[in-house]
């Protein structure tokens, strides 16, 4: 059973990857809600949209990285 | 029991895939809510809709990838 | 107990399939709310409705696929 | 204990079936809220109501299917 | 411990049955909120109310069925 428990850990980290998608979706959802209420201001906030998505996505990718490390590096 | 625990991990990662669908659904839901409130601006935000869906979907696919790796690669 | 733990994993992935239904339901719910507030614009957003449902449904089907793989392929 | 762990998995998949009911309920709830605010437009969205219910219900039935497979097929 | 683990599964499926009640309650709650805001239109949506309740209730009954099968049939 050496190393087997690490695979359960990798799966749980994959769960974290999926939950991070909620955060990314939340950023994009609120941008869209605001941009369609006030389209003329939308272009000025595109940079902020990508900043918000990038930071949330980064945490999801960290989760993914943990899963990869648990599977192949430890 | 070699490799069996990895299958539980794969199932948990599959749970993460399903949760990512919430994030994707959130983006599309808010786009639809906004587009039906202000249809004339909807076309200008289609690109953002796909950007938002793509980033959230990517994390769901990472989760799916972890499940596949746990089943067939480790 | 060979292969038995994979069945728990399949069940957890099936849980993910059910959660993905929340995302799909969210897309359709917001479309209906918007379409009944502004029926004249509803037809123009039908394509977006199906795009949103398709992406969220895809992640749920990925979850279902993981469950099937865990039951019959590994 | 042959096959017993699969029964826990079937129960977890049954939990997913129940969660999918939230998605279906969400679609119907938003339709009713909209239809009672704007009854004259309700008939035009009945098709969308059933499309939304069908896609979310399908994922719940996939969950149910996983539970049945875990109980009787594996 | 033969068959005992199936009872845990039955309990988890019963949890799913309870969660489905949230979906059903959501449909009825939105109908009531709308019907009390616009009582004259309430009668026209009674059919939809029962359709929405039926589909969400069905998924809860599937969950209940899984629990019964786990207790008496497997």
């Amino acid at each position: 059973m050496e190393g087997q428990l690490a695979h359960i850990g990798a799966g749980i980290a994959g769960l974290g990857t999926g939950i991070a998608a909620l955060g990314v979706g939340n950023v994009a959802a609120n941008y869209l809600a605001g941009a369609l209420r006030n389209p003329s201001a939308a272009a000025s906030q595109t940079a902020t949209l990508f900043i918000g998505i990038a930071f949330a996505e980064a945490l999801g990718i960290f989760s993914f990285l943990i899963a990869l490390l648990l599977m192949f590096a430890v």
Side-chain angles (χ1 to χ4, degrees), chain A:
Chain A
M1 233 174 93
E2 285 301 314
Q4 288 301 305
L5 289 174
H7 294 164
I8 294 189
I12 298 172
L15 176 56
T17 306
I19 291 172
L22 279 178
V24 172
N26 219 12
V27 175
N30 273 270
Y31 175 82
L32 283 169
L36 289 169
R37 194 177 297 119
N38 186 359
S40 60
S44 68
Q45 294 313 119
T46 314
T48 319
L49 169 70
F50 283 107
I51 290 169
I53 284 181
F55 278 99
E57 186 92 9
L59 289 172
I61 290 170
F62 288 169
S63 246
F64 182 54
L65 192 60
I66 291 168
L68 290 181
L69 288 171
L70 281 168
M71 283 189 283
F72 300 114
V74 297

